[in-house]
Amino acid sequence: MTATKSYYTSWEELEAAIRSCSRCPLHKSRRNPVPGEGPRNAEVMFIGEAPGATEDEMGRPFVGAAGKLLTMALESAGIPRSSVYITNVVKCRPPSNREPRPEEIEACSVFLESQILLLKPRIIVTLGNVAGKKVFELGNLRWSGVTKMRGRLYTLSILGLKVVVIPTIHPAAALYNPSMRDILFNDLKNVKRVLDEISQTLTVASGDELSAPEQGGRKAKSLLDYVKRG
Ligand code: URA
């Protein structure tokens, strides 16, 4: 269980471990591992399934066709891609883009869990079934499939952190399907709404603290700093 895992406590250590990882057979066929990217103080974390061909080639998450759609959906919701942290459940491309196997997901879990612990996101958006299942498992809530679970918010306790989880479909499922595309775009608008609502609540709740000088350190500028973690 998670209590016995040793997590990475610095981003540098974590990314170095991902780059040299041989915990599962996926390392044999990868061109580049794909740790993830984005600000290390992002409030929102997006989690996909696994790198595809373009990601494997570039070493960056969501830079192929599905990634371009994700970026468009983010921008359309008013969320700059550069403001969120994006990663995957597994960090190396499964051959022929097959779904990652349970033992590969388990072998890679310490990396995802360490990322969550280092980032401490307020919101996690899961993209598709593999990410939804994994994150709900970490939050000890039964996953009943993305079709049933999406469109709602779940406040989960993940590794001791209170996180709002918003499951949505995988952008690859929306590539050639206009109604799925609408779902993705609308779900991301909800992400923006939740982010704004949290900020709004804080504006009311924190009063003059909001004009306090920045302290330096992580998230010094964010209203969300004033939310107490449960
Ligand atoms: N699909 C994913 O799940 N992740 C990526 O990074 C790209 C495509």
Side-chain angles (χ1 to χ4, degrees):
M1 279 296 292
T2 50
T4 61
K5 277 193 182 134
S6 20
Y7 294 113
Y8 295 89
T9 52
S10 81
W11 286 101
E12 290 69 29
E13 226 190 328
L14 169 62
E15 292 191 355
I18 294 172
R19 291 188 198 288
S20 62
C21 180
S22 56
R23 287 168 169 262
C24 86
L26 294 182
H27 79 277
K28 293 182 194 154
S29 52
R30 75 176 177 223
R31 291 169 78 178
N32 289 294
V34 182
E37 68 181 22
R40 292 171 177 181
N41 62 353
E43 309 287 3
V44 188
M45 179 180 200
F46 280 75
I47 305 178
E49 179 177 316
T54 316
E55 291 77 19
D56 179 58
E57 195 180 313
M58 315 264 293
R60 294 180 54 207
F62 282 98
V63 285
K68 290 198 170 76
L69 187 62
L70 175 64
T71 304
M72 279 175 59
L74 281 166
E75 304 288 340
S76 148
I79 305 170
R81 176 176 166 134
S82 59
S83 72
V84 300
Y85 189 84
I86 306 180
T87 190
N88 286 297
V89 172
V90 302
K91 314 305 186 198
C92 296
R93 183 193 182 201
S96 315
N97 294 346
R98 65 160 169 75
E99 215 174 84
R101 298 185 173 133
E103 61 274 20
E104 294 160 351
I105 293 174
E106 184 50 35
C108 220
S109 191
V110 67
F111 298 138
L112 181 66
E113 292 175 51
S114 296
Q115 284 172 317
I116 293 171
L117 286 168
L118 283 166
L119 190 67
K120 298 184 174 53
R122 308 291 177 176
I123 299 173
I124 291 181
V125 182
T126 59
L127 302 166
N129 257 313
V130 170
K133 185 165 183 282
K134 178 67 195 171
V135 169
F136 275 66
E137 187 184 295
L138 293 175
N140 295 307
L141 193 67
R142 211 168 75 88
W143 176 251
S144 327
V146 69
T147 314
K148 277 200 183 147
M149 303 292 277
R150 62 145 293 280
R152 291 174 55 191
L153 316 179
Y154 304 82
T155 304
L156 302 186
S157 172
I158 297 178
L159 306 169
L161 302 170
K162 191 174 154 198
V163 188
V164 175
V165 180
I166 306 178
T168 188
I169 59 169
H170 195 287
L175 270 177
Y176 307 107
N177 182 328
S179 61
M180 297 286 260
R181 195 186 135 106
D182 287 349
I183 287 175
L184 177 68
F185 276 57
N186 281 329
D187 283 355
L188 294 205
K189 288 195 172 92
N190 273 330
V191 173
K192 171 73 168 137
R193 211 166 293 144
V194 173
L195 195 53
D196 288 348
E197 267 169 30
I198 295 173
S199 303
Q200 202 78 54
T201 311
L202 293 167
T203 309
V204 174
S206 22
D208 59 3
E209 278 181 284
L210 295 176
S211 57
E214 285 180 22
Q215 302 297 310
R218 78 184 287 279
K219 295 181 181 171
K221 285 185 187 162
S222 172
L223 299 176
L224 301 177
D225 266 344
Y226 299 97
V227 158
K228 276 201 178 143
R229 292 198 176 279

